[in-house]
Amino acid sequence: MENLSLIAGLGNPGAEYAGTRHNIGFLLVERLAARWRAAWKLEKKFNARLARLEQAGQKIILCEPQTFMNASGDAIGALGRFYQLPADRMLIVVDDADLPLGQIRLRAEGSSGGHHGLESVEQQLATRQYPRLRLGIGRRAGDDRQITDYVLGRFTAGEREIVEEVLARAGQQVECWWNDGINEAMNQFNGAVTAPPKKGNL
């Protein structure tokens, strides 16, 4: 469908996972929906929560798959097929433990990097050539690849300040992506985000 873009944040459904590091993709699309005053609706045929809106003549679907992370591609693939969306109009937002907290990285394509949500999307779309926005969550010092407890944990009070800045900047990057294209969005917004200075330390 012309003039339609899909922005999917990946995460795990359910109150027990709300606000966890692994769900930072959900946090971003929820922030975007609130900013654009778009209402969420559970659409069972896609097994996803969707928020639909129109911005500057462009139609946008915000998506939270209601599968668990490892099967995120099921909902995204179903939406892509139903709306006949090209892969380059489907932006996937995920957490990335290999990027430090506060780092954001948009790419036009690439490997999953071991992220099970991206693996599922790649399998369903049968391509790696779809844009993905990785939001760094970091990892504990000394952690090996078994970091389940960490990614399913919630951000600390200190981390939440940086997360707020990340969500604000990543939201601007998403807007730039559909208005000006991926190259401009990467050039303007990729990189490290820092927390605002504490009051009294100016």
Side-chain angles (χ1 to χ4, degrees):
M1 183 178 290
E2 293 183 7
N3 298 325
L4 177 65
S5 298
L6 174 70
I7 303 163
L10 303 194
N12 288 314
E16 65 268 39
Y17 298 106
T20 60
R21 296 180 178 92
H22 214 25
N23 276 30
I24 197 170
F26 275 16
L27 293 178
L28 179 59
V29 293
E30 287 167 4
R31 178 67 59 90
L32 290 172
R35 182 158 139 194
W36 299 329
R37 298 179 182 177
W40 289 100
K41 180 182 177 183
L42 178 63
E43 298 200 19
K44 292 183 179 179
K45 70 178 178 181
F46 298 120
N47 200 5
R49 291 178 75 228
L50 304 179
R52 303 169 186 271
L53 65 143
E54 190 167 332
Q55 288 274 83
Q58 299 284 329
K59 293 179 180 178
I60 301 160
I61 299 176
L62 299 172
C63 172
E64 288 185 348
Q66 295 300 288
T67 59
F68 282 87
M69 179 70 81
N70 294 4
S72 297
D74 293 355
I76 293 162
L79 283 159
R81 290 187 292 273
F82 184 84
Y83 289 105
Q84 299 182 327
L85 274 172
D88 66 356
R89 297 309 303 166
M90 304 168 74
L91 174 61
I92 312 302
V93 185
V94 297
D95 64 301
D96 191 329
D98 291 325
L99 290 178
L101 179 67
Q103 192 87 10
I104 64 176
R105 181 180 295 167
L106 175 65
R107 289 286 184 266
E109 58 184 81
S111 73
S112 67
H115 192 288
H116 297 314
L118 292 181
E119 287 173 356
S120 177
V121 172
E122 180 183 323
Q123 183 180 34
Q124 289 294 322
L125 299 184
T127 183
R128 292 181 171 183
Q129 296 180 318
Y130 61 88
R132 71 286 311 275
L133 174 55
R134 297 176 181 269
L135 305 180
I137 60 170
R139 62 173 71 233
R140 284 187 294 251
D143 264 351
D144 58 15
R145 301 300 298 180
Q146 302 303 317
I147 58 170
T148 301
D149 289 345
Y150 176 75
V151 300
L152 294 181
R154 288 176 170 80
F155 294 106
T156 66
E159 289 172 336
R160 284 197 293 271
E161 293 185 21
I162 300 177
V163 171
E164 285 299 311
E165 294 297 306
V166 166
L167 295 176
R169 186 173 178 87
Q172 293 174 330
Q173 186 171 40
V174 170
E175 289 186 335
C176 185
W177 166 70
W178 85 68
N179 284 323
D180 303 311
I182 194 162
N183 289 330
E184 186 67 22
M186 290 190 297
N187 291 337
Q188 280 198 42
F189 295 98
N190 278 357
V193 176
T194 56
K198 303 260 186 206
K199 292 181 179 178
N201 293 339
L202 299 178

